[in-house]
Amino acid sequence: MTAAFVENGHAPGARAWDYLLRTWRELDVPEGWRAEIDEGRITLAPPPHARHNGIAEMVQRRLYGGLPASLGVYQTLGIHVAPLDKLYVPDLVVMPTELIAAADPGTIDPLNASEALLVVEITSKGNAREDRTKKYRAYARAGVPMYLLIDRFDTRGPMSTLFTEPNEDGTYKRTEAVPFGKPLAVPAPFDVSIPTDEFPGQAG
């Protein structure tokens, strides 16, 4: 992961977040890369490994099996964690379809993370720590009801962990972790079981 440092001094009188968001909108990001705003800077993440994308596709397909038409599963969708002035682009995010339809076609502004029902992050070597810590806390602070962390680099071995019931202090009350090979139950409104035995477990 690389970082593009953007200082608010370039825009006198403007809030740091407003300047960062304007810069984020105007970035010419290479295809497949993701630009996020975290800790007062814009970071660029390169395209993930094919195995990473394969896991995302498997999870997305399984989620759609239990999803009502009013919800959709989206990749490369920017979401704003308003309490912390962060902007992340999760591997998958479940949002009401009406919010997607209502989005201004003339802008690429992020949607509010508090509107998400589920966020999925799949670790890569370069971002595993951020997914386990900073993003965990951010999604909890935003009130995202479910955070699914698929961690191929967990020290216990590849694990899938579902965090539910967010607290305002940036933690989740409930945690269910299963090693790759065992099914992971995702509760309503999904009511599906994700067969993690199909996940590629090798690092990459």
Side-chain angles (χ1 to χ4, degrees):
M1 178 178 293
T2 60
F5 291 89
V6 181
E7 296 185 4
N8 193 37
H10 296 164
R15 287 184 61 235
W17 168 255
D18 295 333
Y19 180 59
L20 286 166
L21 180 59
R22 185 166 67 252
T23 303
W24 180 84
R25 291 191 194 110
E26 297 169 355
L27 282 177
D28 184 13
V29 181
E31 185 176 356
W33 286 62
R34 290 186 292 179
E36 299 183 324
I37 299 175
D38 194 4
E39 297 184 353
R41 64 183 183 179
I42 296 174
T43 61
L44 299 177
H49 193 281
R51 290 172 178 158
H52 184 120
N53 287 324
I55 291 175
E57 191 277 330
M58 291 176 192
V59 174
Q60 184 170 18
R61 182 159 22 100
R62 183 61 58 155
L63 290 175
Y64 267 126
L67 215 57
S70 59
L71 297 174
V73 185
Y74 303 98
Q75 299 184 31
T76 67
L77 179 65
I79 57 174
H80 176 206
V81 181
L84 302 174
D85 274 347
K86 296 175 183 284
L87 190 160
Y88 292 137
V89 184
D91 290 296
L92 298 172
V93 57
V94 176
M95 281 277 187
T97 54
E98 64 179 5
L99 293 179
I100 304 299
D104 185 345
T107 71
I108 57 169
D109 281 356
L111 296 182
N112 198 315
S114 66
E115 301 286 354
L117 278 79
L118 170 70
V119 167
V120 180
E121 295 284 7
I122 303 163
T123 62
S124 298
K125 278 186 178 179
N127 70 3
R129 184 178 179 186
E130 285 78 9
D131 289 347
R132 297 170 192 149
T133 57
K134 289 195 292 185
K135 291 189 177 182
Y136 165 87
R137 291 191 293 268
Y139 295 142
R141 281 289 305 276
V144 176
M146 302 182 202
Y147 173 37
L148 175 55
L149 175 63
I150 299 174
D151 192 349
R152 294 178 295 147
F153 304 95
D154 192 298
T155 56
R156 300 167 293 177
M159 301 286 290
S160 297
T161 305
L162 181 66
F163 303 98
T164 56
E165 300 184 26
N167 291 309
E168 291 184 0
D169 66 357
T171 61
Y172 282 91
K173 294 179 183 177
R174 298 179 63 85
T175 301
E176 181 182 357
V178 300
F180 279 23
K182 293 188 176 181
L184 177 66
V186 182
F190 306 96
D191 290 321
V192 297
S193 178
I194 297 176
T196 69
D197 58 316
E198 299 177 7
F199 289 174
Q202 296 298 318

